Structures are given as structure tokens and as C-alpha cells.
Amino acid sequence: MPEFVCRLGAPDGALVEQRRVAASIDVLRRELEGEGFHVFSLSGARSRLRVPFLSRSEKVGGQDFLLFNTQLKTLLHAGMPLAQSLELLKDQQTSPHFSALLEKVHQQVTTGIALSDAFLALGDTFPRLYGNSLRAGERTGELEQVLERYVEYQRLVEAVRKKIIAALTYPLVLVTLSVGLMVVLMTYVIPSFTEFYVQFETELPLPTRMVIGLANVVRDHVLLIAVGAVATWYAFRLWRSSSKGLMVTDRLVLRVPLLGRLAHLFALSQFSRSMAILLGGGTPMVPALETAADSVSNAHISKLFADCVQEVQEGRPLSDSLADTDKAPDMALAMIRVGESTGALPEMLEHTSDFFDEEIEFTLGRIVTLIEPLILVVMGLVVAGLLLAVYYPLLTIVSRIA
């Protein structure tokens, strides 16, 4: 979503400037006026050019943010004022970037700005889910309980993310080592056979000529190939950072066997758990749906769920709107319908996210079971084919001499 710079008049008469993200200026204006602000001006924020590999990420690490929220919840529960708690926690951060962000939040809170508005003013640096959860807690007077629910949410999401990374690390190492072995063969081992075969003045088989020719090209242009590979990867990362590129790549990821299923389940888990924490904290359905859709990491699924907002706003049940996206399984839709009919939608969404987490664990087990031997077999056949193409003429020559 685009980011806007807002010059506002606070309810207490103070003039403040905030950075907010919203679907459009009209939506943002209605949101700000609903919070009691007088809007002086709204303008689009200038986007800063971010260079892949060189630009520092503006977002805060998940573990640092989890620890901060855990400590903030504890301090508020002990009766420490909010401004004093923020001042204490910002001085304890090991990350200078996070400490500077908390300093901005602390300055706004001390001038009377709500904690949720202070975090939302930082744009996408912090999840919108977090800022909107805080806002719901401030409205209901249950800020500690909302923080506790968000901490639990963050722990579960981080646990699932770590499981996925841990399960895919070993296959990635296997692929990296196999590619490294092929590079050594193509740049050092196979080219050395060229001069050896020239001495015998015999015609080599076609597979051998092809492998040796490819190896010579790689050896003679290895620097150019490396630069081209880096440039291609850089261009891909730059294109993927655009909204169109992100949408295309995330849609393609969903079509990859097994891995697409994993990405789909993780997105559904993010959405259902986000909805649960927002509705459980007192956020109305439509704002909760907007924020939960925005919290989904897969851009394609996020847009499909965001398109449901208009239908839900017009009175259509959430389960029916999600069914039209064809991305929510029947089991989850049935659980959501039960929640809507019984008035226990947050609890049913929690159970739905637990269901997705179990599916993720099962899918991870299948991926690890299948992908490791598959990588070993494929790379073994490739390396064996290269070596056979190179050594077969040598065996033929030796047999003739004997």
C-alpha cells in the first residue's frame, strides 16, 4: 500500500506530522477524521531507492521485536507508565536502528499521541497488524491483554517460520555443494582432458565433444558468466521488489509442487491468526479483514483476501467471501461458518490457524522425505554423465592399445 505524509491537528490542539499507509487518500482521510484528527494536508511520501544487497532493511528483526513486546507487556503489568516503559526499553536495545525507532515512538507518546498512532506513523517498518491491535486495546482499555495475544501470535508465527527454514536448509546445502562440484569439473577437470585427446588424433564421440566444448567455454569466460549471473540476479531482485513483480512471482510460487502448497498454507495461517487476534482484541470486522489481508506475506493471496473487504462491508458473511477466492479449504470455511453462527469467530479462527500449522508440519515432512533423495539422485546422474562422457574415449583408447 502507498505511504502518505499527514499534517494533522490532534484532538488536544497540537500540530503533529505522521506517516501512514492506506489504500488511498480518501480512505486515509476518513480513518484520520474518525480518530478525531483535523486533516490539514495529505501527500504521498517519497519512495527511497533501495538497492538489493546494499540497502539496509528498515524492518526490525523478529526476535528483537518479540523481546520488546514481551518486556513491554511485563512492565505495563507491573504498573509502570507507558512513556517510562518505552524510555527504559529503548535504552536496552542492542540494535541502534531499533533504538532510534523507539526513540521516535517515545517522543510522540510523551506529546500525547497514542501508542498505536506512533507505531503506525512509521509506515511499513512495523506490521500494520501490530498498530491496529494496539489501537483496539487502547479503545477497550485492554492494552496488556492485546500485547499478550500479539506476543503469542508472534511466537507461533516465528516457530512456523523457523521450522520451514530448518527443513529447507539441508536440501539447499546439497544443491549448493552439487553446483560447486559441477563448476570445478567444468572449469578444471574436464578442460585438462582436451590436450590429452588431441595427441591421439582420433575422433571423439559427440557427447564427449559437447561436454569438452561446454567446459572450454565456461573456463574461458568464467568471469563474464559470473558477472552475468550476478547482474541477472540483481535485475530479478529489482523487478521482484516492484508490486507487479512481487505479484507475478508469488503467484508462480503457489504453482510449484509441494513448495507451493507450503507457501499457501503459511499464508492461510498468517491470515486466520491475524484475524483472530484483531477480532479478539475488539477490532471491527472490516478493519480487521483489511489488516489481516495486508499481513499475508504472499502478495497474490493478500490481494484476493483484500478484495473480500467490499463484500463483507456490504453485509456478506466472511466465509462466503473467502469461498469465492478459491484459496480457503472447505475445512477452514466450515470452521469459520460455525464461528459466525455461534458468535465465537475469534476462537474458531484460532482453531483454523492451528489446523493450518499442523498441515504445514505434515507438508514439511513430505518435502524433506522426498526432496533430499531426489536431489542426490539427480545430481549424481548429472555428475556421472559428465564423467562418463569424458572418460569413455579414454577407456576406448586404452582397450585399443591393449
Side-chain angles (χ1 to χ4, degrees), residues 253-254 256-266 268 329 359 363:
V253 164
L254 296 174
V256 177
L258 291 181
L259 292 179
R261 170 70 175 167
L262 188 64
H264 184 194
L265 289 171
F266 185 65
L268 293 176
E359 284 285 310
T363 304

Side-chain angles (χ1 to χ4, degrees), residues 146-282:
V146 167
L147 278 172
E148 185 174 359
R149 280 194 292 267
Y150 188 83
V151 166
E152 184 62 24
Y153 158 84
Q154 207 174 358
R155 283 175 177 166
L156 291 171
V157 171
E158 286 297 319
V160 173
R161 194 188 305 274
K162 287 180 179 178
K163 285 181 181 179
I164 294 174
I165 293 175
L168 299 181
T169 297
Y170 182 61
L172 182 61
V173 171
L174 287 179
V175 172
T176 303
L177 292 177
S178 301
V179 171
L181 176 60
M182 290 182 60
V183 170
V184 172
L185 288 174
M186 298 296 287
T187 55
Y188 294 101
V189 178
I190 295 178
S192 64
F193 281 84
T194 305
E195 298 179 1
F196 176 77
Y197 286 134
V198 169
Q199 300 175 2
F200 292 93
E201 298 181 353
T202 182
E203 185 177 358
L204 300 174
L206 178 61
T208 304
R209 296 200 305 269
M210 293 176 61
V211 170
I212 291 179
L214 179 61
N216 288 333
V217 170
V218 172
R219 182 192 60 182
D220 296 339
H221 304 88
V222 62
L223 183 59
L224 183 62
I225 293 174
V227 172
V230 172
T232 301
W233 177 247
Y234 174 85
F236 173 76
R237 288 286 301 272
L238 202 60
W239 173 72
R240 193 180 185 277
S241 63
S242 65
S243 57
K244 182 179 179 180
L246 184 62
M247 188 69 66
V248 172
T249 52
D250 282 358
R251 187 186 302 118
L252 292 177
V253 164
L254 296 174
R255 299 177 182 177
V256 177
L258 291 181
L259 292 179
R261 170 70 175 167
L262 188 64
H264 184 194
L265 289 171
F266 185 65
L268 293 176
S269 176
Q270 286 179 306
F271 174 77
S272 56
R273 207 172 288 280
S274 300
M275 283 291 292
I277 189 174
L278 288 168
L279 294 177

Side-chain angles (χ1 to χ4, degrees), residues 20-254:
R20 292 282 192 97
V21 289
S24 66
I25 287 184
D26 292 336
V27 171
L28 180 58
R29 183 181 298 274
R30 288 195 299 269
E31 181 179 330
L32 292 170
E33 290 175 351
E35 296 172 15
F37 288 105
H38 176 73
V39 180
F40 290 108
S41 66
L42 298 175
S43 59
R46 294 181 179 179
S47 59
R48 289 172 287 183
L49 178 64
R50 298 189 69 250
V51 181
F53 310 115
L54 299 179
S55 299
R56 183 187 66 180
S57 173
E58 294 184 356
K59 294 188 177 182
V60 177
Q63 291 298 325
D64 290 339
F65 195 41
L66 175 61
L67 180 60
F68 163 76
N69 284 302
T70 304
Q71 293 173 335
L72 179 61
K73 179 197 68 172
T74 303
L75 292 175
L76 293 179
H77 183 71
M80 185 174 292
L82 177 59
Q84 187 177 350
S85 300
L86 291 172
E87 184 177 12
L88 179 63
L89 292 177
K90 72 179 178 63
D91 295 333
Q92 292 183 349
Q93 301 306 314
T94 57
S95 169
H97 176 54
F98 191 20
S99 180
L101 292 174
L102 290 181
E103 174 64 28
K104 294 180 181 179
V105 172
H106 175 254
Q107 290 177 355
Q108 294 200 49
V109 169
T110 54
T111 59
I113 303 298
L115 180 64
S116 58
D117 292 332
F119 275 104
L120 288 170
L122 296 175
D124 291 336
T125 305
F126 296 95
R128 286 189 66 206
L129 170 64
Y130 180 67
N132 288 335
S133 299
L134 292 178
R135 178 175 294 167
E138 290 166 344
R139 288 175 177 174
T140 59
E142 298 179 348
L143 184 58
E144 294 177 32
Q145 291 82 347
V146 167
L147 278 172
E148 185 174 359
R149 280 194 292 267
Y150 188 83
V151 166
E152 184 62 24
Y153 158 84
Q154 207 174 358
R155 283 175 177 166
L156 291 171
V157 171
E158 286 297 319
V160 173
R161 194 188 305 274
K162 287 180 179 178
K163 285 181 181 179
I164 294 174
I165 293 175
L168 299 181
T169 297
Y170 182 61
L172 182 61
V173 171
L174 287 179
V175 172
T176 303
L177 292 177
S178 301
V179 171
L181 176 60
M182 290 182 60
V183 170
V184 172
L185 288 174
M186 298 296 287
T187 55
Y188 294 101
V189 178
I190 295 178
S192 64
F193 281 84
T194 305
E195 298 179 1
F196 176 77
Y197 286 134
V198 169
Q199 300 175 2
F200 292 93
E201 298 181 353
T202 182
E203 185 177 358
L204 300 174
L206 178 61
T208 304
R209 296 200 305 269
M210 293 176 61
V211 170
I212 291 179
L214 179 61
N216 288 333
V217 170
V218 172
R219 182 192 60 182
D220 296 339
H221 304 88
V222 62
L223 183 59
L224 183 62
I225 293 174
V227 172
V230 172
T232 301
W233 177 247
Y234 174 85
F236 173 76
R237 288 286 301 272
L238 202 60
W239 173 72
R240 193 180 185 277
S241 63
S242 65
S243 57
K244 182 179 179 180
L246 184 62
M247 188 69 66
V248 172
T249 52
D250 282 358
R251 187 186 302 118
L252 292 177
V253 164
L254 296 174

Side-chain angles (χ1 to χ4, degrees), residues 365-387:
R366 290 184 60 193
I367 291 176
V368 173
T369 302
L370 294 176
I371 201 170
E372 291 179 7
L374 182 62
I375 291 174
L376 292 175
V377 170
V378 171
M379 299 311 298
L381 290 175
V382 172
V383 174
L386 292 175
L387 294 178

